[in-house]
């Protein structure tokens, strides 16, 4: 009877697609999440690059990094969305969900080609489609790059399998071209060059034969090149200095992440947009993290035990491990202060779900008389995952639902409080913003940016005395903080201490010669003092440094106004 259900492949695949659409329906009501992306490099709302879709602009995408990443095709896709829907979040959510649906279809086709078993392919596609850990990749609009790279990644794997099955070189070239396109969407695609070696193993190819080795060289070279590109791009925006953890400690954290990814994929719990590293106790990481080495060793033992006994099970382990390994942050790449991230398992999860689907099929054959019960348990599990994902989508509704959830999960993490404070400030809730920034200061007394943020809000509310106190404290903590000097200069300007303001603006520029706000503020001061020529010079400097700045039109208007004032003075 179970076969009767699964033989209707198209019906069940359509059912999975419909369930996926229902699961992610809440995302269509979601807004942009502010401050989670670096505002300077915001992917959509503040991204001037995507607001012009032209040949010249597309060339720019391919010749520069953006936000520490080299992913020109991702920028193209966002520019297309902007062309269609402007800054309507709905348009971007629609594209993300469409890509995810296409990816689940490709996952189904990939597993079907590998196993020739529609039952396994359908289960893997369903688990991939509605697992709560996938929500981050779909609901967070900045993760378009994950969905896009995955689409071409899966197409490349399908083409490679066709090459092996049909022995047609054309499919090999298709796989190579699609791999390049995937790399241009996100550097995470570099793992494909090793994934296809796992496919060779699965199909009993001689891995050390000349033909097999030569086939892999172009893939491996491309992976190497894009690894270099990715590292260069990331270090330009996120320099890696003073790593607080040793290599051994990072290896222990990698073991922890590896196991927790598996556990959360199977039983989603305490999902978060951010998983911080643990604090060291007396210079040592908590001992409980070391325990996770044991299950990793067990998986390694299982891998070698099954190496010649069960190729499908081993392939699932290989697929998951190959595609998650570089994201375990043993080498602090990708850079960040988080130990793991839900979005990292988007592609790797396929390997784990393949193992789970295989085990379900084995149980069906082992306990054939109870196959109907197994079918219903599987359906209930999928519905449980879908419901969890549905609710998780609501967390990404807006700044407040998002940061409230982060604070609830990690109340001692200052990031959630600080970003919620910025959201409250933007929303005009200045008292709430001050409370949140004060909590950041309580948690991190020497975090200069918290004093700057609170000082800005004090300034907005007219409490200039406290505003100056906060900026002074920020400078005391970090004497090379250009933002602190620039904002203190604004505060001094508001109390007519023009000499002090000029000193602070000059100091900010001395610290950071590319700090646009300092030039703008100094230009406003000079305009107020009727020193029009100096004001014009500073406005021009700001425009030259950041011609794509969201405030560039406003700066140009200020400069033009100042030029007119200067001309009027000359005429008089």
């Amino acid at each position: 009877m179970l076969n009767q259900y699964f033989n209707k492949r198209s019906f069940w695949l359509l059912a999975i697609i419909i369930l996926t659409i229902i699961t992610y329906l809440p995302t269509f009501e979601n807004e942009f999440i502010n401050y989670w992306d670096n505002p300077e490099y915001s992917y959509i709302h503040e991204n001037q690059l995507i607001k012009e879709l032209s040949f010249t602009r597309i060339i720019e995408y391919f010749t520069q990094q953006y936000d520490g990443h080299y992913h020109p095709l991702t920028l193209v896709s966002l520019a297309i969305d902007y062309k269609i829907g402007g800054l309507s979040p709905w348009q971007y959510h629609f594209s993300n969900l469409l890509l995810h649906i296409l990816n689940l279809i490709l996952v189904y086709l990939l597993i079907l080609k590998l196993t020739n078993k529609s039952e396994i392919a359908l289960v893997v596609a369903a688990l991939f489609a509605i697992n709560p850990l996938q929500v981050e990749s779909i609901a967070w609009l900045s993760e378009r790059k994950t969905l896009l790279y995955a689409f071409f990644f899966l197409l490349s794997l399908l083409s490679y399998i066709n090459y092996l099955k049909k022995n047609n070189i054309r499919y090999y070239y298709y796989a190579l071209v699609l791999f390049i396109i995937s790399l241009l969407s996100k550097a995470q695609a570099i793992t494909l060059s090793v994934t296809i070696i796992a496919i060779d193993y699965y199909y009993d190819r001689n891995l050390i034969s000349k033909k097999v080795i030569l086939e892999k060289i172009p893939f491996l070279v491309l992976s190497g090149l894009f690894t270099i590109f990715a590292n260069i791009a990331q270090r330009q925006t996120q320099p890696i200095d003073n790593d607080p953890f040793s290599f051994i400690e990072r290896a222990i954290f990698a073991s922890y992440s590896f196991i927790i990814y598996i556990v959360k994929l199977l039983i989603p719990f305490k999902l978060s947009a951010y998983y911080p590293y643990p604090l060291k106790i007396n210079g040592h990481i908590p001992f409980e993290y070391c325990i996770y080495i044991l299950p990793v060793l067990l998986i390694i033992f299982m891998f070698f035990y099954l190496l010649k006994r069960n190729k499908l099970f081993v392939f699932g382990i290989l697929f998951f491990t190959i595609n998650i390994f570089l994201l375990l942050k043993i080498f602090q790449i990708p850079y960040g202060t988080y130990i793991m991230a839900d979005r990292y398992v988007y592609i790797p999860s396929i390997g784990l779900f393949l193992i789970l689907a295989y085990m379900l099929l084995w149980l069906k054959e082992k306990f054939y008389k109870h196959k109907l019960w197994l079918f219903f348990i599987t359906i209930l599990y999928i519905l449980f995952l879908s419901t969890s994902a549905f609710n998780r989508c609501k967390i990404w509704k807006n700044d407040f639902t998002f940061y409230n959830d982060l604070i609830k999960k990690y109340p001692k993490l200052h990031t959630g409080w600080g970003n919620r404070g910025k959201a409250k400030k933007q929303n005009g809730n200045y008292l709430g913003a001050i409370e949140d920034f004060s909590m950041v200061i309580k948690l991190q007394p020497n975090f200069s940016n918290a004093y700057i943020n609170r000082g800005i809000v004090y300034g907005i509310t007219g409490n200039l005395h406290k505003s100056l106190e906060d900026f002074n404290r920020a400078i005391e903590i970090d004497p090379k903080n250009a933002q602190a000097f620039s904002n203190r200069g604004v505060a001094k300007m508001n109390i007519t201490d023009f000499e002090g303001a000029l000193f602070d603006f000059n100091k900010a520029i001395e610290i950071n010669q590319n700090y646009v706000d300092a030039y703008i503020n100094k230009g406003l001061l000079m305009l107020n003092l009727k020193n029009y020529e100096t004001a014009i010079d500073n406005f021009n400097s700001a425009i030259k440094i950041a011609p794509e700045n969201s405030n560039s039109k406003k700066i140009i208007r200020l400069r033009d106004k100042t030029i007119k004032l200067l001309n009027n003075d000359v005429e008089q």
Side-chain angles (χ1 to χ4, degrees), residues 4-68:
Q4 176 184 336
Y5 291 120
F6 282 114
N7 282 337
K8 299 176 181 178
R9 298 193 291 203
S10 299
F11 168 79
W12 285 107
L13 184 58
L14 179 61
I16 292 169
I17 293 171
I18 292 171
L19 179 62
T20 302
I21 293 171
I22 294 171
T23 299
Y24 295 102
L25 271 179
T27 61
F28 289 104
E29 297 181 359
N30 291 358
E31 304 166 12
F32 294 114
I33 300 296
N34 298 308
Y35 315 113
W36 195 235
D37 286 330
N38 186 331
E40 188 178 357
Y41 295 103
S42 181
Y43 271 86
I44 299 169
H45 202 270
E46 298 294 327
N47 186 353
Q48 300 302 310
L49 286 175
I50 69 169
K51 296 178 181 179
E52 178 192 337
L53 187 59
S54 64
F55 179 76
T56 303
R57 184 66 86 186
I58 291 173
I59 293 298
E60 284 186 51
Y61 300 160
F62 281 85
T63 55
Q64 63 186 45
Q65 62 87 20
Y66 188 80
D67 187 28

Side-chain angles (χ1 to χ4, degrees), residues 336-461:
T337 57
Y338 49 91
I339 194 170
M340 55 189 292
D342 291 354
R343 62 189 178 275
Y344 289 164
V345 297
Y346 190 77
I347 283 291
S349 65
I350 297 169
L352 181 65
F353 296 148
L354 176 60
I355 293 172
L356 183 58
Y358 168 79
M359 292 174 67
L360 288 172
L361 183 61
W362 178 83
L363 287 172
K364 185 198 98 171
E365 294 172 351
K366 186 77 172 176
F367 303 101
Y368 187 76
K369 292 181 180 180
H370 304 287
K371 63 182 182 296
L372 190 57
W373 280 106
L374 181 62
F375 172 74
F376 284 123
I377 290 171
T378 303
I379 294 297
L380 286 174
Y381 178 61
I382 289 171
L383 290 175
F384 160 71
L385 293 176
S386 173
T387 303
S388 299
F390 182 90
N391 292 327
R392 184 71 191 154
C393 287
K394 295 178 181 179
I395 298 299
W396 292 81
K397 180 175 176 59
N398 56 43
D399 293 329
F400 299 106
T401 57
F402 181 79
Y403 293 117
N404 286 343
D405 179 71
L406 189 59
I407 290 168
K408 180 181 177 181
K409 301 289 174 54
Y410 296 101
K412 294 184 178 180
L413 180 68
H414 71 85
T415 307
W417 295 100
N419 286 340
R420 193 178 71 174
K422 293 175 186 176
K424 286 180 177 179
K425 172 193 162 223
Q426 184 69 25
N427 207 41
N429 181 3
Y430 300 124
L431 180 60
I434 289 170
E435 289 175 350
D436 280 354
F437 293 139
S438 296
M439 179 59 74
V440 176
I441 291 168
K442 182 179 179 180
L443 294 169
Q444 296 283 335
N446 292 319
F447 185 40
S448 61
N449 283 349
Y451 289 97
I452 294 171
N453 288 326
R454 192 174 69 175
I456 291 170
V457 180
Y458 276 138
I460 293 172
T461 57

Side-chain angles (χ1 to χ4, degrees), residues 87-144:
L87 287 176
S88 168
W90 192 95
Q91 172 62 42
Y92 302 90
H93 284 298
F94 174 81
S95 296
N96 274 17
L97 182 54
L98 177 60
L99 275 170
H100 183 57
I101 290 170
L102 293 173
N103 287 341
L104 83 85
I105 294 171
L106 292 177
V107 167
Y108 169 77
L109 294 174
L110 175 67
I111 303 303
L112 186 62
K113 276 189 174 292
L114 280 168
T115 65
N116 293 317
K117 294 183 183 294
S118 60
E119 299 100 321
I120 291 179
L122 286 166
V123 171
V124 174
L127 294 174
F128 170 83
I130 50 82
N131 194 281
L133 265 73
Q134 309 291 41
V135 170
E136 182 171 279
S137 296
I138 299 153
W140 188 16
L141 296 178
S142 293
E143 273 311 298
R144 169 67 57 80

